[in-house]
C-alpha cells in the first residue's frame, strides 16, 4: 500500500461549518417524508433552505430517493387519517343527558343554568365532530392533490439525478457483494426486506459520483450510516463511508448529518421551536413506515436524568418540566417518575428516573437532553440538567405513575 493509498485512514475531513455554503447538498428519503410530521414554521424553514440550494444547483436528490418518497407517501397519509380515527374521533365521547342521568336536577333552582350549559356543550361537541370529519376528508384529498408534494415538486424537477442503472447486472452484483461482506451502507439493516434491500447503496453510489464536497442529510439513524452506542443512539457517521468518499473523489469531504443539525448550520437564525420540532420528527425511518406500526407499535423507555438542584424545589420543577415537555412535544400522556436518588460523592448530583410509552419509534437520549434543555432553559431555573442516559431496566426503582393506565 502506497503512502497515497494510506492517506484515507489519516485525513481530517472538513467540518460542516467550513463547507455548508459551498458543498453539494444531498437529502435522504426520510428527510423529505418527515415533512408530513412538521409544524408549518419548520416546513417553511426547511423548504426555504432546500429551495435556495436548488436554485444555485447545489441540491442533488438521487432518483431512488424520489421513488422511495412516492412509495411511502400514501402510507403516511393513511397513517395520519388513522391517527384521527384512533386518537381523536373514537375518544370524543358525548355524555348522557343530564335530565336522564339525574332526574332530580329539575328540583334545583339552578336547573335552567345546568341545562343551558349542557346545550352549549352539545352544540360545541357537534361542531367539533363536524370539523374533525372535514379534516379527515381533507387528508383523504391528499391522494389527489397533496400540498407537501406540490411544494416539493419544483425541487424534484430541478434537483433529481442519477448516475446508475439499477437494472444493470454489475450494479446489482456490487450491491450483493457489499451486503454479503456487510460493508456500509449495507451492513445488514435492510437485508430482511423483500424489496429495496439495496436502496441505501443506490443512494450512496449516486453520492460517490459527485466530485465535490458533500453534505448528506439523513435521519436514518441505523448502523448502515452511523456508529451507534449500546442504546442505538447515533455517535458519528461510519468512518468507512467517509474514507471511501475521500478515496473515490480524491480528497473531497462527505459530512453525514441530521436534518436539525443541517438547518442549524444553514439557517442559524432558525428559532429554537423549529429546531426542536425537527429533532422530534427526524427519527422517521423509511423501513418502518406502515399504518400498522403507527396504530399499535408501543415502546417502553426508561431514562436516568442527572441534575444539580439550584433550589430546594429543583426536583419537583424538573419532574414538572419533563412531564410537560413529553406531553406537549411528544404527545406522551402515560408517564411515571421515581423519587430522587442522591450521590454525595458525585459533585452533589442527584438522579431522577423516568419511564414512558411512546408510539412508533424511540426518543434518543441526546434528543431528549437537548429538547429538555431548550424547553426548560436549563441552568437558569431551579435546577441544572447535566445528562440523560437510557437504561434497559429499572426493576429496583419505584415509580410514581402520573397516569393510572401505566402498566
Amino acid at each position: 500500500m502506497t503512502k497515497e493509498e494510506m492517506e484515507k485512514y489519516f485525513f481530517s475531513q472538513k467540518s460542516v461549518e467550513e463547507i455548508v455554503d459551498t458543498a453539494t447538498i444531498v437529502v435522504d428519503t426520510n428527510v423529505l417524508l418527515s415533512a408530513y410530521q412538521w409544524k408549518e414554521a419548520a416546513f417553511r424553514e426547511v423548504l426555504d433552505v432546500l429551495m435556495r440550494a436548488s436554485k444555485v444547483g447545489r441540491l442533488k436528490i438521487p432518483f431512488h430517493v424520489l421513488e422511495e418518497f412516492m412509495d411511502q407517501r400514501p402510507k403516511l397519509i393513511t397513517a395520519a387519517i388513522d391517527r384521527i380515527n384512533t386518537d381523536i374521533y373514537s375518544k370524543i365521547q358525548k355524555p348522557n343527558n343530564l335530565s336522564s342521568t339525574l332526574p332530580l336536577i329539575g328540583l334545583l333552582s339552578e336547573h335552567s343554568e345546568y341545562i343551558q350549559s349542557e346545550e352549549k356543550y352539545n352544540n360545541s361537541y357537534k361542531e367539533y365532530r363536524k370539523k374533525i370529519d372535514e379534516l379527515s376528508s381533507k387528508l383523504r384529498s391528499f391522494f389527489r392533490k397533496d400540498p407537501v408534494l406540490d411544494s416539493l415538486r419544483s425541487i424534484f424537477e430541478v434537483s433529481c439525478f442519477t448516475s446508475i442503472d439499477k437494472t444493470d447486472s454489475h450494479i446489482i452484483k456490487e450491491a450483493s457483494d457489499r451486503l454479503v461482506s456487510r460493508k456500509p451502507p449495507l451492513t445488514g439493516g435492510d437485508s430482511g426486506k423483500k424489496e429495496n434491500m439495496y436502496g441505501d447503496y443506490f443512494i450512496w453510489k449516486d453520492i460517490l459520483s459527485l466530485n465535490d464536497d458533500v453534505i448528506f442529510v439523513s435521519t436514518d439513524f441505523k448502523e448502515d450510516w452511523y456508529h451507534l452506542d449500546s442504546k442505538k443512539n447515533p455517535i458519528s457517521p461510519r468512518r468507512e463511508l467517509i474514507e471511501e468518499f475521500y478515496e473515490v473523489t480524491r480528497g473531497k469531504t462527505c459530512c453525514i448529518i441530521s436534518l436539525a443539525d443541517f438547518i442549524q448550520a444553514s439557517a442559524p437564525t432558525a428559532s429554537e421551536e423549529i429546531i426542536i420540532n425537527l429533532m422530534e420528527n427526524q427519527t422517521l425511518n423509511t423501513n418502518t413506515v406502515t399504518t400498522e406500526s403507527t396504530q399499535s407499535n408501543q415502546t417502553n423507555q426508561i431514562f436516568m436524568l442527572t441534575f444539580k438542584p439550584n433550589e430546594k424545589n429543583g426536583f419537583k420543577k424538573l419532574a414538572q418540566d419533563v412531564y410537560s415537555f413529553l406531553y406537549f412535544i411528544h404527545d406522551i400522556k402515560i408517564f411515571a417518575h421515581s423519587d430522587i436518588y442522591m450521590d454525595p460523592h458525585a459533585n452533589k448530583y442527584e438522579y431522577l428516573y423516568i419511564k414512558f410509552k411512546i408510539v412508533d419509534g424511540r426518543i434518543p437520549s441526546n434528543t431528549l437532553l437537548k429538547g429538555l434543555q431548550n424547553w426548560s432553559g436549563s441552568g437558569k431555573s431551579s435546577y441544572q440538567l447535566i445528562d440523560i442516559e437510557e437504561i434497559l431496566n429499572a426493576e429496583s426503582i419505584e415509580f410514581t405513575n402520573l397516569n393510572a393506565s401505566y402498566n
Side-chain angles (χ1 to χ4, degrees), residues 268-301:
T269 59
S271 68
E272 286 188 2
E273 181 182 1
I274 288 176
I275 300 304
I276 291 175
N277 186 223
L278 296 179
M279 289 170 60
E280 304 312 324
N281 292 286
Q282 67 183 12
T283 56
L284 181 64
N285 190 322
T286 58
N287 302 323
T288 58
V289 177
T290 64
T291 56
E292 296 174 13
S293 64
T294 303
Q295 292 179 40
S296 59
N297 184 21
Q298 289 191 338
T299 301
N300 286 332
Q301 288 192 267

Side-chain angles (χ1 to χ4, degrees), residues 40-91:
E40 181 183 5
F43 182 87
R44 299 300 176 193
E45 187 71 62
V46 175
L47 187 64
D48 180 65
V49 170
L50 295 182
M51 282 286 194
R52 285 190 277 112
S54 179
K55 287 179 179 179
V56 296
R58 290 180 52 224
L59 179 66
K60 297 293 182 182
I61 302 177
F63 193 74
H64 187 78
V65 167
L66 172 60
E67 292 180 325
E68 284 187 335
F69 178 87
M70 298 306 296
D71 176 66
Q72 296 294 329
R73 183 182 72 90
K75 299 177 184 178
L76 286 175
I77 297 172
T78 301
I81 295 171
D82 286 340
R83 284 198 296 273
I84 289 178
N85 293 332
T86 59
D87 296 350
I88 300 177
Y89 200 89
S90 65
K91 296 181 180 179

Side-chain angles (χ1 to χ4, degrees), residues 252-377:
K252 302 296 183 181
T253 287
C254 179
C255 293
I256 304 176
I257 63 174
S258 72
L259 177 60
D261 289 340
F262 172 65
I263 294 301
Q264 282 185 306
S266 301
T269 59
S271 68
E272 286 188 2
E273 181 182 1
I274 288 176
I275 300 304
I276 291 175
N277 186 223
L278 296 179
M279 289 170 60
E280 304 312 324
N281 292 286
Q282 67 183 12
T283 56
L284 181 64
N285 190 322
T286 58
N287 302 323
T288 58
V289 177
T290 64
T291 56
E292 296 174 13
S293 64
T294 303
Q295 292 179 40
S296 59
N297 184 21
Q298 289 191 338
T299 301
N300 286 332
Q301 288 192 267
I302 304 172
F303 292 92
M304 180 182 75
L305 283 64
T306 303
F307 70 102
K308 199 170 186 178
N310 297 331
E311 298 176 3
K312 186 176 181 180
N313 68 341
F315 158 68
K316 291 183 179 179
K317 182 63 169 62
L318 174 59
Q320 291 170 355
D321 283 346
V322 171
Y323 179 67
S324 59
F325 173 75
L326 292 174
Y327 185 94
F328 291 107
I329 300 300
H330 288 279
D331 196 31
I332 292 174
K333 301 177 179 64
I334 303 177
F335 166 84
H337 69 82
S338 72
D339 289 330
I340 56 173
Y341 290 79
M342 303 182 64
D343 185 350
H345 303 293
N347 299 316
K348 297 184 178 179
Y349 289 164
E350 297 182 359
Y351 305 94
L352 171 70
Y353 291 86
I354 63 172
K355 69 175 180 177
F356 53 79
K357 290 182 179 179
I358 184 170
V359 177
D360 193 25
R362 303 180 68 86
I363 303 178
S365 298
N366 58 343
T367 297
L368 186 59
L369 177 62
K370 291 180 181 178
L372 269 171
Q373 287 175 333
N374 287 327
W375 176 267
S376 63

